[in-house]
Amino acid sequence: MQAPLDQAFLHLKSVIPPQVVVEKEHNGYEQLTVLYRGQHGATSPVVRLAFQELPTEWTSTPDSPPDVVWVARDLSPEVRRRFRELGRSFISIRQGEVVIVHPALVIDRIAPKAVTVRTASTIDPFGPGPGRVVLALLNNALTPEPRAWGIRELAAYSGVDRTTTSDVVNTLAAYGLVTRENDPRKRGRGVTVRVQRVTALLDRWSATYDILRNPSITVHAPIGDPRAFLRRLPTILRDRSWALTLQAGASLIAPHASWERIHVYVDVQSHHELADIAIQQGWTTGESGKLTIMRPWYHFDFLRRIRTIDRLPVVDQAQLLIDLWSYPVRGREQAEHLLHQRNQMAPDAQTLPA
């Protein structure tokens, strides 16, 4: 029987797109190089990965940098779901399941030798990796002039491999959330993917995701006036990348509902770093605190999706809407106000799916 790392390597190679090459360095698995092969045969590095066997006796999901791929002979559905939620890369050998979640490479596939037929229903389109495709589609639908994206363009923009992108689109189409229209400008089976209705997509998405998915701590910070405290955050978090969400973020775009709590995403690798921030600032934790700092569940393209509004960083439109959509304190009301304002500002509201 092959060693687990050998089997994992074969599984990874079998699901890598045709234009991508994966190589071992120094005949070992502590360093794998993933290369992209161009039209003329030249290759350029995309990312370096490292296999690490998951201990047989482990009690909690391990913290790890994004270049580590956990390998196990057999992972239960619950463990695989948990790894996806936390954005951990893994290969489950028995199932042939390969999930790579990295800023430069996202793959979520079943190795072809393990499963002969893969249907769209086997993928969660709203998971941390595939969710990048949905975020891209929603943000595109919310722009005044949406781009005509096919699978190739959508995969390139979202950073997700083309096969997984196609699986996500097929699943969303089965849900009735997107359309795939033939595009006469493209050869063969070229299609343009469009969101049918933004609100329907948000309804379905919120059945899988809400703000509690994000690892977080709530602290007693000296807030006083919440709006004044927002202006202090750039100094408090000066050494980190961060962005506002929920009512605090929406208040900078389309103020509507009253608010007193502040929710901030911080670009950290683990829950422990959130606690470090609180300790450094002298904040004590407590559910009645008015400041919640969070590690983004949709973490791996978080930095690209930050916009600056009134000199403060705010999450992009898609993230802000999905955070608000199921938030119990006037979240849906604020989200609908944002959508209404977007329609009012659009040159032709009929072109934007509501």
Side-chain angles (χ1 to χ4, degrees):
M1 180 180 291
Q2 290 177 309
L5 296 185
D6 289 327
Q7 293 177 288
F9 184 67
L10 293 176
H11 281 327
L12 177 60
K13 290 186 69 173
S14 71
V15 302
I16 286 284
Q19 71 273 24
V20 176
V21 181
V22 58
E23 298 175 347
K24 291 187 290 184
E25 295 186 9
H26 311 300
N27 297 317
Y29 294 100
E30 68 278 0
Q31 197 74 26
L32 304 174
T33 302
V34 181
L35 304 165
Y36 177 82
R37 181 187 289 117
Q39 291 182 344
H40 303 292
T43 58
S44 57
V46 175
V47 65
R48 283 184 166 83
L49 302 173
F51 280 177
Q52 189 166 334
E53 285 195 72
L54 192 67
T56 54
E57 300 294 333
W58 61 283
T59 57
S60 62
T61 305
D63 286 334
S64 59
D67 60 340
V68 169
V69 181
W70 292 101
V71 174
R73 289 191 182 278
D74 190 3
L75 292 178
S76 69
E78 173 61 24
V79 171
R80 301 200 303 275
R81 180 191 66 79
R82 183 63 177 157
F83 269 55
R84 279 190 169 87
E85 288 180 357
L86 294 175
R88 302 282 190 268
S89 297
F90 68 89
I91 298 176
S92 185
I93 294 168
R94 182 176 179 183
Q95 291 79 22
E97 191 161 356
V98 180
V99 173
I100 308 295
V101 186
H102 188 280
L105 180 70
V106 175
I107 294 174
D108 189 339
R109 296 194 64 196
I110 302 294
K113 291 183 179 180
V115 176
T116 57
V117 178
R118 177 177 171 83
T119 64
S121 62
T122 64
I123 195 168
D124 174 12
F126 306 114
R132 293 166 67 167
V133 176
V134 191
L135 284 165
L137 280 169
L138 180 53
N139 274 318
N140 187 46
L142 293 168
T143 59
E145 298 181 2
R147 301 177 186 177
W149 272 344
I151 299 298
R152 183 192 302 271
E153 295 86 356
L154 184 54
Y157 183 86
S158 63
V160 178
D161 74 277
R162 202 182 307 173
T163 301
T164 301
T165 299
S166 180
D167 284 348
V168 171
V169 169
N170 289 340
T171 302
L172 295 177
Y175 293 161
L177 300 175
V178 301
T179 58
R180 295 165 296 183
E181 302 168 355
N182 291 331
D183 191 334
R185 296 170 297 178
K186 299 177 181 178
R187 295 179 179 178
R189 300 181 179 179
V191 298
T192 296
V193 182
R194 301 183 190 277
V195 173
Q196 290 246 56
R197 289 175 56 241
V198 167
T199 52
L201 177 59
L202 291 171
D203 282 338
R204 183 73 188 224
W205 201 341
S206 63
T208 298
Y209 168 88
D210 62 35
I211 198 75
L212 296 178
R213 284 281 194 184
N214 302 282
S216 67
I217 60 171
T218 299
V219 299
H220 295 282
I223 290 179
D225 179 1
R227 290 168 180 79
F229 187 80
L230 294 186
R231 300 298 165 183
R232 293 165 52 196
L233 277 173
T235 300
I236 294 171
L237 299 173
R238 60 183 175 273
D239 297 326
R240 298 182 181 273
S241 298
W242 59 279
L244 297 165
T245 190
L246 287 182
Q247 307 289 5
S251 70
L252 299 172
I253 305 166
H256 178 64
S258 60
W259 57 282
E260 59 178 14
R261 293 179 177 270
I262 299 171
H263 292 78
V264 183
Y265 284 117
V266 186
D267 183 34
V268 296
Q269 293 297 323
S270 71
H271 186 274
H272 302 297
E273 289 184 63
L274 297 176
D276 290 342
I277 294 171
I279 292 170
Q280 291 166 8
Q281 297 298 322
W283 298 333
T284 58
T285 59
E287 290 305 311
S288 60
K290 293 185 178 180
L291 174 64
T292 298
I293 53 178
M294 305 175 291
R295 179 187 185 274
W297 196 57
Y298 296 111
H299 179 252
F300 291 99
D301 58 348
F302 171 70
L303 297 180
R304 189 180 73 172
R305 297 186 294 106
I306 296 176
R307 50 189 170 153
T308 301
I309 299 174
D310 195 13
R311 294 178 293 176
L312 289 171
V314 180
V315 294
D316 63 8
Q317 295 182 87
Q319 185 70 63
L320 184 57
L321 284 171
I322 191 58
D323 284 346
L324 285 165
W325 202 249
S326 57
Y327 186 63
V329 185
R330 305 185 72 180
R332 178 72 62 91
E333 181 182 331
Q334 175 69 74
E336 290 174 343
H337 180 68
L338 287 169
L339 289 174
H340 176 72
Q341 186 195 60
R342 177 215 64 170
N343 284 334
Q344 292 295 103
M345 296 175 63
D348 178 5
Q350 295 303 313
T351 66
L352 299 177

